[in-house]
Amino acid sequence: MTRVVAFGGGRGLSAALRALSRLDLDLTAVVTVADDGGSTGDIRATRPVLPPGDLRKALIATADPAKSETARLFSHRFGGQDFLTGHPVGNVVLTGLLELHANPVDALDFAARLLGSRARVLPMSCTPLDIEADLFEGDGTRTIVGQHDIAVADGSVKDVRLLPADATACPETLEAVAAADWHVFGPGSWYTSVIPHLLLPDLREAIGAAKARRIVVLNLSEEKETDGLTLAGHVDTLRRYAEGVRFHYVVSGDTRTFADPGSLNSAAQSLEAQLVAADLAADGVTHDVAALAAVLGNLLVEDGG
């Protein structure tokens, strides 16, 4: 069975996982662990556990349809005006599991069994991380720490890095990366969900050393953190952080690609990759899961490497 590792975080990774879960694959999700917004941020402020939000989303995205009620419970967000307000049940459950298990991978494997997940969900690091970014501001730059603040900040991103600088990848994650036939990056928040996987030195080295073929799926719409960055600019930015990593396909589902494919095709070639353009938009903002599954299926199954 074809072994695929999908990298990302948040809603972008969820879209990729929902598509990949439709295929007959041995699927692993590697999730960023730097989220610090909303419920996850509140939990991180008081408890030294991995941020649960993006991990929860990956587990739900790959849940067995027969476990839909459990997935619905994990997705339920408390209302009201008390200490539980705004917290998804899944974040609370994962926090409990992460406190019960010394190895966070064991906690996630337990949660995956509860949901009948069709993928193994792994954290990129077993250490909670933060993202630090330098942003252009006027004639100078300013530095911001925190995934949420970077995502909503004015100004364009000059550079990003992880804190602590000496963090390492989970051993189970490195094993999955080395054993995979394919690596899939994106879609997702470029600087805070996709690129962070290339900022962890031992993870980037493992990705580059693996024999896997690699696909990057571009976003359909701009986000505030990439405001003004073209699709070709997304690819060029990825290349800047992907030293030693070869990509094979760049998938664009933005219909604008059809009108002017030149610059994006050139950017893809700079990665030594082939541009694959298809109409993947469900509503102009999110990917159509079935269409994305069809494109990825063609690449993963028909191109045996």
Side-chain angles (χ1 to χ4, degrees):
M1 184 178 290
T2 303
R3 292 165 294 188
V4 176
V5 173
F7 300 87
R11 288 175 294 181
L13 177 61
S14 293
L17 292 175
R18 291 183 192 279
L20 290 166
S21 293
R22 293 183 171 218
L23 308 173
D24 186 20
L25 304 170
D26 180 349
L27 179 60
T28 300
V30 174
V31 184
T32 54
V33 287
D35 184 15
D36 63 356
S39 163
T40 292
D42 291 343
I43 291 170
R44 285 194 69 176
T46 57
R47 297 181 182 273
V49 298
L50 292 180
D54 285 354
L55 296 166
R56 168 183 55 85
K57 291 172 185 172
L59 287 162
I60 292 170
T62 57
D64 188 328
K67 298 280 189 176
S68 60
E69 285 302 307
T70 306
R72 183 183 174 203
L73 174 63
F74 265 58
S75 299
H76 174 71
R77 196 177 292 270
F78 290 104
Q81 298 293 328
D82 60 14
F83 68 96
L84 283 174
T85 301
H87 287 291
V89 171
N91 281 8
V92 177
V93 172
L94 281 177
T95 299
L97 289 171
L98 289 165
E99 290 187 349
L100 287 170
H101 294 271
N103 184 349
V105 172
D106 294 337
L108 291 167
D109 286 345
F110 186 98
R113 290 193 295 271
L114 290 177
L115 289 158
S117 294
R118 294 166 290 177
R120 192 178 194 197
V121 175
L122 297 174
M124 62 181 279
S125 174
C126 293
T127 302
L129 303 175
D130 287 299
I131 300 175
E132 183 177 69
D134 298 327
L135 277 73
F136 289 110
E137 187 176 71
D139 295 330
T141 61
R142 60 178 172 135
T143 299
I144 295 179
V145 177
Q147 180 270 335
H148 174 73
D149 288 346
I150 294 168
V152 301
D154 293 324
S156 57
V157 175
K158 175 186 177 183
D159 192 26
V160 288
R161 53 199 163 266
L162 293 176
L163 302 174
D166 60 352
T168 59
C170 286
E172 295 87 348
T173 297
L174 296 177
E175 291 172 8
V177 167
D181 300 302
W182 288 88
H183 297 158
V184 178
F185 289 79
S189 299
W190 218 239
Y191 288 107
T192 56
S193 290
V194 178
I195 286 174
H197 296 279
L198 299 168
L199 302 179
L200 208 58
D202 59 344
L203 181 55
R204 183 182 65 250
E205 290 171 10
I207 291 169
K211 295 180 180 179
R213 295 170 70 77
R214 293 176 195 91
I215 300 170
V216 56
V217 181
L218 299 178
N219 295 332
L220 293 175
S221 60
E222 289 184 356
E223 296 183 314
K224 193 168 179 62
E225 69 180 53
T226 52
D227 188 27
L229 192 67
T230 64
L231 291 174
H234 280 70
V235 176
D236 290 337
T237 301
L238 182 70
R239 177 172 52 83
R240 181 156 59 96
Y241 291 100
E243 183 179 355
V245 179
R246 161 82 193 279
F247 286 83
H248 299 79
Y249 294 102
V250 172
V251 176
S252 176
D254 192 319
T255 53
R256 290 175 296 178
T257 305
F258 304 123
D260 182 24
S263 60
L264 181 54
N265 190 53
S266 295
Q269 289 176 353
S270 74
L271 285 178
E272 300 182 67
Q274 177 182 336
L275 175 62
V276 177
D279 186 357
L280 301 178
D283 53 14
V285 177
T286 58
H287 286 80
D288 181 278
V289 171
L292 181 57
V295 170
L296 292 177
N298 285 338
L299 296 178
L300 298 174
V301 177
E302 293 184 8
D303 181 348

